Amino acid sequence: MPPIRWTSDPRGAFQDARRRLDVAHRARSRRAGRRRALLRHGRTSQEQGPRRLRHQHRPVVQAGVPSATALADALAKELQHADGIAAAEVAGPGFLNVTVSAAAQGEVARAIVEAGATYGTSDRLAGKRINLEFVSANPTGPIHIGTGRWAPVGDSLARVFIALGADVTREYYFNDHGAQVDRFSRSLLAVARGQEPPEDGYVGSYLVDIADQVVAGHPGVLELPDDEAKEVFRREGIELMFADIKQTLHDFGVDFDVYTHQQTLHDSGAVERAIDRLREMGNVYEADGAVWLRTQKYGDDKDRVIIRSNGAPAYISADLAYYLDKRERGFDLVVIMLGADHHGYVGRLLAMCQAFGDTPHENLEVLIGQMVNVVRDGKPVRMAKRAGSVVTIDDLIEALGVDAARYALVRYSTDSNIDIDLALWTSASNDNPVYYVQYASARLASILRNATELGIAWSAADFDPSLLASDREETCCGRWLSSPGGVRSG
RNA sequence: GCGCUCGUAGCUCAGCUGGAUAGAGCAGUGGACUUCUAAUCCACCGGUCGCAGGUUCGAGUCCUGCCGGGCGCACCA
């Protein structure tokens, strides 16, 4: 064991050497204790242009520019004597393998213990205000599994941004305006009167529950004229439905900081203000009796109507106001998470962002999550009680439990549509992905418990990092070292 | 017809801004273990990265065209 005592992160030594040589680098973690570096040269100046850069990436000798191997050699020499580094050797054309000494590598254990829960966090996004809007299911029924996918994903994303030091707000856009809500209230009224729901209405036993509650709270409601009764069912029904949704999300471990009601954007004049602003920017015009936004100018397929020829605002008008509202509330980045059935909407939202004079992907990011199906033995499952109903988050939680349900939704890339196999996720077998996580947790808890029973306690003074030298420990240290990178790129 | 997205090992999926022999888990095969919870561990087996071109010193990654699955293309929300 080389008697290398190290005092700092070996990456520091690496960066020192690099700085001295004035080369750009690319480092990647490989096996435990090793870092590999691809050397690139000639990237110190951005104005070189792509063509020349490409040539300079070639690992060949050019006039006045040392070859990659020569650079690697030089870098290796610098590194060999650096603290915490056991060996540095040139491996292939342009690659440098750096072996971190066991002692240096073991230090990561100390760093983790001392940092506790803050290990892996950073201040990379410090001062940045991010608004994450997700779920935002309409209050016309329980949360469907597709939109519900964003609940754990959006929540996890929020946690990652917070770990990076950002100031994060979780927000829910509550759509209590428009035709869907009207259909909902008509459906409630029909159900309360024991009639068939309207042709275009909603079905499901939840309607009965809501209708019963409304009637219980307003005994005379069924004797009112249709319009008045419908209004009562609208107002009360939405409140009850929304309370249900909030409860479901809360049970799912997801709570929001801000709920914005679409209706308030219309009532407060925010929509008009947003349109005025866009008009000032020269991006609004009138044609065919309607008011249009010039989204095509900013990459959308066509311009979009924001005020219909009948005078009613189109759906997007509230989004204009909402985006502006978020920006005025001081958010640098506005993230909106939508289901794949809304992906056609992305283009016009990004165009809107630009129409306001903002920069897409910098001030506005629209994420699309693909569809979620629930299957059993390969066949789609409908769990709710009445035909026509869809699988809800409540159903999923009931079937899998909160932890497994969250994990089943977070585990996969949101770019892929997923089939959640109930048989798989509820099975007591190795096939069940959630078992791995639970077992790992159980084993770690067990180690700590046994350590306590044996009277073993952490002591910074007695800690000898060089003892963490076995292959297994090397692997662990490597993972630990690279895990903050995962948070960073997340 | 147009657009978005997926197509990587038998199965379910990773693969970051293109970089060294493409990685995990499960399944399969062969071992280990009088157990820090057998809900275990180790090893092996297994891949024309949908197909065909192209760009590049280098492509699973970028571009073009096909094929296949999903989802959309409203003065609906």
Side-chain angles (χ1 to χ4, degrees):
Chain A
M1 186 61 52
I4 296 173
R5 295 299 300 172
W6 86 308
T7 50
S8 63
D9 190 327
R11 282 172 295 188
F14 181 74
Q15 277 160 12
D16 282 351
R18 193 191 99 220
R19 213 168 289 124
R20 252 174 288 170
L21 289 164
D22 189 32
V23 292
H25 79 300
R26 182 184 178 85
R28 314 193 112 210
S29 60
R30 201 188 173 194
R31 279 195 224 120
R34 290 215 176 136
R35 307 201 75 80
R36 56 184 174 179
L38 164 65
L39 298 178
R40 288 181 170 180
H41 42 276
R43 282 190 83 181
T44 50
S45 165
Q46 285 288 41
E47 51 277 12
Q48 283 168 324
R51 184 92 192 127
R52 223 181 128 203
L53 263 178
R54 207 158 49 225
H55 279 284
Q56 293 201 339
H57 283 179
R58 281 187 191 176
V60 295
V61 180
Q62 292 190 352
V65 181
S67 74
T69 30
L71 274 171
D73 276 336
L75 199 46
K77 280 204 188 77
E78 290 282 335
L79 284 170
Q80 267 163 12
H81 309 293
D83 268 359
I85 288 174
E89 55 198 28
V90 179
F95 288 90
L96 177 65
N97 283 340
V98 180
T99 306
V100 178
S101 73
Q105 155 189 287
E107 276 297 335
V108 70
R110 186 205 299 275
I112 290 171
V113 170
E114 287 176 354
T118 66
Y119 180 72
T121 61
S122 76
D123 57 0
R124 214 170 72 94
L125 296 180
K128 188 146 182 158
R129 300 197 57 202
I130 302 178
N131 182 287
L132 300 179
E133 182 208 324
F134 53 107
V135 185
S136 298
N138 289 343
T140 52
I143 302 180
H144 172 266
I145 193 133
T147 51
R149 178 179 199 169
W150 280 117
V153 176
D155 187 53
S156 302
L157 199 53
R159 291 169 198 241
V160 170
F161 282 137
I162 290 167
L164 294 175
D167 180 355
V168 174
T169 294
R170 295 171 174 88
E171 186 147 337
Y172 190 114
Y173 185 43
F174 179 51
N175 182 351
D176 53 353
H177 177 95
Q180 295 193 12
V181 168
D182 189 56
R183 292 214 311 261
F184 177 63
S185 41
R186 279 187 284 119
S187 303
L188 281 178
L189 180 57
V191 167
R193 287 175 169 166
Q195 301 164 346
E196 283 300 304
E199 192 69 16
D200 60 347
Y202 293 87
V203 290
S205 58
Y206 71 95
L207 285 170
V208 180
D209 298 339
I210 302 270
D212 286 350
Q213 288 182 66
V214 174
V215 174
H218 298 264
V221 69
L222 291 176
E223 278 72 57
L224 293 172
D226 274 15
D227 279 0
E228 288 175 41
K230 206 180 77 182
E231 171 55 22
V232 171
F233 278 100
R234 189 195 64 77
R235 196 177 62 236
E236 301 298 321
I238 283 179
E239 278 312 308
L240 291 165
M241 197 67 248
F242 195 37
D244 267 12
I245 289 172
K246 273 188 181 171
Q247 185 62 46
T248 295
L249 288 167
H250 178 75
D251 292 344
F252 207 27
V254 182
D255 292 294
F256 291 82
D257 305 302
V258 175
Y259 296 87
T260 296
H261 291 237
Q262 187 183 356
Q263 189 66 50
T264 63
L265 296 170
H266 292 286
D267 296 345
S268 68
V271 171
E272 286 78 4
R273 280 209 312 281
I275 293 174
D276 286 347
R277 173 76 70 88
L278 290 163
R279 189 174 279 123
E280 285 165 27
M281 304 286 294
N283 290 322
V284 169
Y285 65 92
E286 291 184 28
D288 304 329
V291 180
W292 298 71
L293 179 64
R294 287 186 206 284
T295 50
Q296 189 171 21
K297 185 169 140 193
Y298 301 110
D300 195 10
D301 298 333
K302 49 178 268 195
D303 289 345
R304 303 293 172 176
V305 168
I306 50 181
I307 303 290
R308 293 188 269 159
S309 52
N310 67 6
Y315 180 76
I316 194 174
S317 65
D319 274 334
L320 305 175
Y322 194 20
Y323 174 73
L324 185 62
D325 173 63
K326 285 173 181 167
R327 293 283 286 140
E328 285 174 345
R329 276 188 276 149
F331 293 105
D332 304 303
L333 172 63
V334 171
V335 182
I336 302 174
M337 303 173 215
L338 300 172
D341 51 343
H342 288 87
H343 79 256
Y345 212 61
V346 177
R348 73 195 74 168
L349 286 177
L350 293 175
M352 164 202 77
C353 168
Q354 246 179 305
F356 274 118
D358 283 349
T359 309
H361 306 296
E362 193 175 302
N363 302 116
L364 175 66
E365 195 67 77
V366 184
L367 304 178
I368 296 298
Q370 297 298 318
M371 297 286 139
V372 179
N373 296 307
V374 173
V375 301
R376 187 186 291 279
D377 303 324
K379 285 176 228 150
V381 173
R382 292 188 184 279
M383 294 186 69
K385 300 88 190 167
R386 286 179 61 173
S389 312
V390 290
V391 177
T392 67
I393 288 291
D394 286 322
D395 292 333
L396 191 71
I397 293 174
E398 192 183 326
L400 306 187
V402 169
D403 289 349
R406 277 183 73 115
Y407 188 50
L409 290 173
V410 178
R411 191 166 190 263
Y412 307 96
S413 161
T414 50
D415 287 337
S416 306
N417 43 3
I418 50 178
D419 292 334
I420 296 177
D421 189 325
L422 291 180
L424 174 69
W425 284 87
T426 53
S427 69
S429 78
N430 287 339
D431 298 339
N432 189 342
V434 81
Y435 266 60
Y436 250 82
V437 180
Q438 289 177 342
Y439 184 60
S441 171
R443 288 293 290 266
L444 288 171
S446 164
I447 289 171
L448 291 175
R449 191 180 60 242
N450 291 341
T452 306
E453 281 168 12
L454 293 169
I456 299 169
W458 164 263
S459 155
D462 296 339
F463 177 65
D464 180 358
S466 66
L467 293 176
L468 292 172
S470 73
D471 284 352
R472 205 66 69 82
E473 286 154 352
E474 266 193 16
T475 304
C476 284
C477 290
R479 291 276 162 80
W480 294 335
L481 269 171
S482 57
S483 64
V487 175
R488 232 172 283 139
S489 61

